[in-house]
Amino acid sequence: MTFTPAQAARRVDAADWAALAEELDAYGCASTPPLLTPAECRDLVGLYERPELFRTTVDMARHRFGSGEYRYFTHDLPPRVAALRTALYPRLLPIARDWATRLGRPAPWPDSLEEWLSLCHGAGQDRSAQILLRYGAGDWNALHRDVFGDMVFPLQVVIGLDAQGTDYTGGEFLLVEQRPRAQSRGTTAVLAQGHGLVFTTRDRPVRTRRGWSAGAMRHGVSTVRSGRRHALGLVFHDAA
């Protein structure tokens, strides 16, 4: 069955975005309702075996990023990936602009994803940053940020493509906030199959006695205990 932009928009719009924004404010991450069916998830997992769809493959252990593997799609994205990314951008944009206002930062993001990506490309960030990740037993992802240059969108989305407890165990999503003059705070989330997790790319607004400050955050994946875990990563800026 064809996955249309209208279908993607209906699924994205089904989320309670006001509640989701509040959760993002509190924790730096928030789950969406199902964005993909189990069958659609399996179809995306199958794309991993088609190297012509990807511009590069990264061996995480080789680069000391953890253990596992991921592949960056080319700009010729599969329809489901392109449709979901396009549908999510306008829902994330008001949150991004609100965060920028609170932090006293510029909000350079236009109303459309196409315009924003044109700005990224003009600044030399012209490589696709959409990723399909694969973890096996014993694999994990070190804490990091997906910042590829000066052009940064402050939110991104990861979609679970397998069922935890059935297809794999372990492999929880990790988010760690570095708090000034205090110990770091960790948050975990299980990626339900087909559901998205919206999370901060690098920081979130944190209220302090002196006003708003940026709470620096990094994300990763805990060790997969058994099975195989796949995820789709949607980033709203391109890479240099």
Side-chain angles (χ1 to χ4, degrees), residues 66-87:
S67 178
E69 189 178 87
Y70 58 87
R71 289 181 162 174
Y72 284 106
F73 284 103
T74 68
H75 280 302
D76 188 16
L77 296 173
R80 291 188 181 95
V81 178
L84 284 173
R85 191 181 185 216
T86 299

Side-chain angles (χ1 to χ4, degrees), residues 80 193 212 216:
R80 291 188 181 95
Q193 187 179 39
W212 293 100

